[in-house]
Amino acid sequence: MTNLSGRGAIVTGGFSGMGFAIATALAKAGANVAVGSYVAAPGLGRTDAAYYPGASEIERVRSALAAHGSSVHAAHLDVRDSDLSNRFVAEAEAAIGPADILVNAAGTTAEQPVVGHSDELWDKIVDTNLTGAFRVTRAVLPGMIGRGWGRIVNIGSTAASVGWKDNPAYCASKAGLLGLTRCVALEGAEHGVTCVMISPTWVETELMRRNVAQVVEREGKGRTPEEAMAEIVRGNPQQRMLQPEEIAALAVFLCSDAARGITMENIQVTGGALW
């Protein structure tokens, strides 16, 4: 197993899905881990497909990660807010030590074509997926450069390079995240800091299930979300759905010393699928 003992890692969107799987894998590899997610008040109205954990899940996530022997920090994080993002990073570093690793996994999407797309929904998706990653990166990058070591992993999507009907904000945000990845990689290159984007196809997470439910509802063809999920599986050359732990294993490797030459890349994990 990759040894990340003594490293401090921040994972945004770390309460569920790929974020939680990556945080768990980092903790198993010995890293001290801070996870943040948008913790929603009961009854939150939502137009996107994101999974918003309740406050009760903070302790569940903290306990699950601490079981691997790491120092852990878990708290509310809204990456759309610069002040909250900076405060989260400061509190995380006070709890787990300097942030050597950042995984930007916070993300959301929604089924909505360009026609009729509201500014509010567009801003929410782009601000979460793209600008949110920029904000947290901006907060940790100076320390990484100063210490001469850092790993930044952005969770992208095949949407960065392949269009998807009714998802203009999501596709635009992931394409933008790839551009940000490349710029951060160049800025950090001479200082021992790498930046890579992992772009998976469909991964079986709560966000995916909610997104598929939105697709089914918008299409109005009478099929169930379960039938839509089965169709996605049949469309993958490997005839299966990717799992969060597969993305986590790659992320941990990219955070290791063995991956120091891998930067500025967009690594697609698709099982052979184009999308």
Side-chain angles (χ1 to χ4, degrees):
M1 180 183 292
T2 301
N3 185 357
L4 297 175
S5 297
R7 296 294 186 189
I10 291 177
V11 182
T12 72
F15 281 25
S16 64
M18 286 182 278
F20 180 70
I22 292 169
T24 301
L26 288 169
K28 288 181 177 179
N32 299 316
V33 182
V35 290
S37 282
Y38 189 97
V39 177
L44 173 72
R46 58 190 67 174
T47 55
D48 58 338
Y51 170 67
Y52 294 109
S56 62
E57 294 193 50
I58 294 177
E59 186 53 42
R60 174 190 64 81
V61 170
R62 182 186 293 116
S63 297
L65 296 175
H68 302 292
S70 301
S71 296
V72 174
H73 176 71
H76 168 72
L77 170 61
D78 185 354
V79 296
R80 298 172 299 166
D81 186 307
S82 290
D83 290 339
L84 286 178
S85 296
N86 291 338
R87 187 183 313 153
F88 176 85
V89 169
E91 293 173 351
E93 291 191 318
I96 67 165
D100 302 305
I101 294 166
L102 169 63
V103 179
N104 286 306
T108 189
T109 189
E111 289 293 305
Q112 176 62 55
V114 171
V115 176
H117 207 304
S118 70
D119 286 354
E120 180 182 11
L121 184 58
W122 176 277
D123 291 345
K124 183 174 188 177
I125 294 170
V126 174
D127 206 12
T128 301
N129 298 355
L130 173 57
T131 314
F134 159 75
R135 290 188 180 99
V136 185
T137 298
R138 180 178 59 186
V140 304
L141 187 57
M144 292 179 176
I145 289 175
R147 292 186 297 274
W149 198 97
R151 299 289 184 268
I152 298 173
V153 177
N154 294 323
I155 301 304
S157 167
T158 48
S161 54
V162 180
W164 179 17
K165 182 182 177 182
D166 293 346
N167 280 268
Y170 184 76
C171 291
S173 69
K174 295 302 185 181
L177 186 60
L178 178 54
L180 176 64
T181 298
R182 289 168 172 160
C183 291
V184 172
L186 290 172
E187 189 169 344
E190 64 180 302
H191 305 287
V193 179
T194 67
C195 187
V196 181
M197 188 160 94
I198 300 175
S199 289
T201 183
W202 292 103
V203 178
E204 192 170 6
T205 64
E206 184 60 26
L207 173 63
M208 180 200 170
R209 286 187 284 270
R210 290 171 181 265
N211 189 201
V212 169
Q214 283 191 341
V215 172
V216 168
E217 182 179 3
R218 175 170 288 277
E219 289 179 344
K221 296 180 180 178
R223 63 174 178 165
T224 67
E226 291 72 23
E227 289 171 335
M229 294 276 281
E231 184 177 323
I232 291 170
V233 169
R234 290 194 297 272
N236 188 290
Q238 291 188 339
Q239 298 290 289
R240 68 184 187 91
M241 192 78 72
L242 293 183
Q243 297 301 306
E245 291 73 20
E246 297 176 72
I247 309 305
L250 175 57
V252 170
F253 170 72
L254 292 171
C255 292
S256 71
D257 284 328
R260 61 187 177 275
I262 304 175
T263 192
M264 204 172 153
E265 296 294 337
N266 178 32
I267 302 175
Q268 297 195 38
V269 184
T270 67
L274 294 177
W275 169 261

